[in-house]
């Protein structure tokens, strides 16, 4: 079984789905295996010092050898994963439980302390790209193949190889190189699955300048405050909210948002509701589905207050909530109409649609829950 899914979810305030089984590259560019347009002239010089030839020498080199999972497969991690994903399939609990297949990567992750078993090739490759000006990074997609189920108690080991480095590609984010790694995950020495992970190391594209201020509209302020405030205002004026990744699996959700309707998927076989949108039912596996329109009523199931890092399009601190809809599914969005420090678990909220710029409208929830 092979699964392809997007790794970069929406901005938490977007309230949209985050899973994908294919579709356009979220970086807005070409697939790394296909030919792409030439880079813009203001990007790094791709031929400087034969950079691409040096990059291709990393293909096939080991990025991690004989790595070990920090914990065996275990029920607490499975439970936390299922609760976060809203997946209550009976196969993932009880004495004969198996781990959800999509947890494959989770058992190999190093956590905040990282891994100590990475090879020098991984660091050398990233240092070479950084030195050439490709200092930014975004995860674009992953592919997973499952060969056997993982069960509590399984000891995990893995090997990672740098599978490929693409030629220079131009995307909406900027010009750069796609790097694909393949991790073979083993349980008790037996191959359990394969995880391919693709990132884009890129040089950010230059942003267009904003409009000049209208003469005579400036307000007199002390020089220091005027300079600082002007810079902040200029950043906010130029910045836009991140665009949601719209693909064949979630396009219907965003079409609903455009029509001021919050649509929830309903399985065509077992009638289970699900959110975010997915290509198949997590309860029965059926690919058949239709939609129901949510009433808009909900309660705050959990929330966080974002203080850092600061992004120009946002004005921290602000609350990001996991809202449980009256229909029983949960979604991530912003809570508006109340100070961030007044948001509480159990608070009633009601759906509304917020236009954040001339192109983008998002579902948010207003505190109070009254019509």
């Amino acid at each position: 079984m092979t699964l392809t899914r997007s790794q970069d979810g929406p901005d938490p305030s977007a309230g949209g789905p985050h899973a994908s089984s294919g579709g356009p590259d979220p970086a807005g560019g070409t697939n790394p295996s296909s030919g792409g347009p030439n880079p813009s002239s203001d990007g790094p010089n791709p031929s400087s010092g034969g950079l691409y030839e040096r990059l291709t020498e990393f293909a096939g080199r080991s990025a991690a050898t004989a790595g070990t999972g920090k914990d065996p497969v275990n029920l607490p991690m499975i439970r936390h994963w299922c609760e976060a994903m809203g997946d209550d399939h009976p196969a993932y609990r009880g004495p004969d439980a198996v781990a959800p297949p999509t947890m494959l990567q989770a058992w190999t992750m190093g956590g905040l302390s990282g891994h100590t078993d990475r090879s020098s090739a991984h660091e050398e490759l990233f240092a070479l790209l950084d030195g050439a000006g490709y200092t930014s990074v975004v995860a674009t997609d992953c592919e997973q193949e499952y060969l056997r189920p993982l069960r509590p108690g399984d000891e995990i080991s893995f090997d990672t190889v740098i599978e490929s480095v693409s030629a220079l590609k131009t995307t909406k984010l900027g010009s750069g190189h796609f790097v694909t790694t393949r991790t073979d995950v083993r349980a008790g020495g037996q191959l359990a699955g394969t995880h391919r992970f693709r990132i884009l190391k890129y040089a950010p594209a230059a942003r267009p300048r904003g409009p000049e201020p209208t003469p005579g509209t400036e307000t007199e302020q002390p020089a220091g405050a005027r300079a600082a405030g002007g810079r902040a205002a200029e950043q906010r004026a130029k910045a836009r909210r991140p665009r949601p990744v719209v693909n064949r699996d979630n396009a219907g959700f965003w079409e609903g948002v455009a029509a001021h309707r919050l649509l929830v998927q309903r399985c065509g076989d077992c009638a289970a509701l699900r959110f975010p949108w997915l290509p198949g039912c997590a309860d029965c596996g059926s690919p058949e589905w239709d939609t129901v329109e949510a009433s808009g009523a909900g309660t705050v199931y959990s929330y966080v207050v974002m203080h850092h890092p600061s992004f120009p399009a946002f004005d921290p601190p602000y609350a990001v909530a996991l809202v449980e809809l009256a229909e029983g599914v949960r979604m991530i969005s912003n809570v508006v109409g109340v100070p961030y420090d007044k948001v509480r678990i159990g608070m009633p909220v009601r759906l509304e649609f917020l236009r954040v710029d001339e192109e983008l409208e998002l579902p948010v929830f207003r505190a109070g829950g009254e019509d």
Side-chain angles (χ1 to χ4, degrees), residues 202-336:
Y202 67 100
R207 294 184 176 182
R209 292 184 177 273
E212 294 295 324
T214 304
T217 60
E218 298 85 352
T219 302
E220 276 303 315
Q221 293 178 329
R226 186 166 62 246
R231 285 192 296 270
E234 183 181 5
Q235 283 184 331
R236 286 193 296 272
K238 289 182 179 180
R240 299 196 308 167
R241 292 283 187 103
R243 306 291 100 169
V245 178
V246 180
N247 55 46
R248 62 188 178 188
D249 291 328
N250 64 22
F253 170 82
W254 292 107
E255 290 168 1
V257 169
H260 287 190
R261 303 174 67 211
L262 183 61
L263 299 180
V264 176
Q265 280 182 308
R266 177 174 57 191
C267 177
D269 285 342
C270 71
L273 300 180
R274 65 179 184 262
F275 193 92
W277 281 38
L278 294 169
C281 178
D283 287 355
C284 71
S286 171
E288 304 299 326
W289 57 271
D290 60 8
T291 61
V292 296
E293 182 176 359
S295 67
T299 57
V300 175
Y301 185 83
S302 182
Y303 71 96
V304 296
V305 175
M306 300 296 295
H307 294 272
H308 183 82
S310 177
F311 296 98
F314 299 87
D315 189 18
Y318 53 92
V320 179
L322 180 62
V323 174
E324 184 167 80
L325 301 180
E327 290 73 20
V329 298
R330 299 170 190 155
M331 67 178 291
I332 296 174
S333 185
N334 283 131
V335 176
V336 300

Side-chain angles (χ1 to χ4, degrees), residues 1-80:
M1 176 180 180
T2 301
L3 171 71
T4 304
R5 61 188 177 95
S6 170
Q7 286 294 299
D8 52 335
D11 170 70
S13 64
H18 62 272
S20 166
S21 62
D25 163 32
T30 56
N31 183 284
S33 62
S34 65
N38 291 326
S40 58
S41 59
D42 58 354
N45 185 352
S47 60
S48 177
L51 175 62
Y52 180 58
E53 289 73 15
R54 296 167 67 193
L55 293 174
T56 57
E57 293 174 359
F58 286 89
R61 292 182 62 182
S62 173
T65 303
T68 56
K70 291 201 167 183
D71 297 284
V73 177
N74 62 85
L75 282 172
M77 284 181 65
I78 293 173
R79 177 172 56 82
H80 288 309

Side-chain angles (χ1 to χ4, degrees), residues 115-136:
H115 276 299
T116 59
D117 40 26
R118 272 186 174 168
S119 73
S120 60
H122 185 275
E123 307 304 330
E124 292 168 9
L125 172 59
F126 274 63
L128 182 58
L129 288 165
D130 287 342
Y134 305 109
T135 55
S136 296

Side-chain angles (χ1 to χ4, degrees), residues 70-117:
K70 291 201 167 183
D71 297 284
V73 177
N74 62 85
L75 282 172
M77 284 181 65
I78 293 173
R79 177 172 56 82
H80 288 309
W81 173 281
C82 290
E83 288 180 355
M85 300 300 292
D87 190 343
D88 60 356
H89 196 286
Y92 306 143
R93 58 181 184 267
D96 298 320
V98 298
T102 50
M103 286 189 74
L104 184 69
Q105 184 191 19
W107 308 113
T108 69
M109 298 178 76
L112 294 177
S113 59
H115 276 299
T116 59
D117 40 26

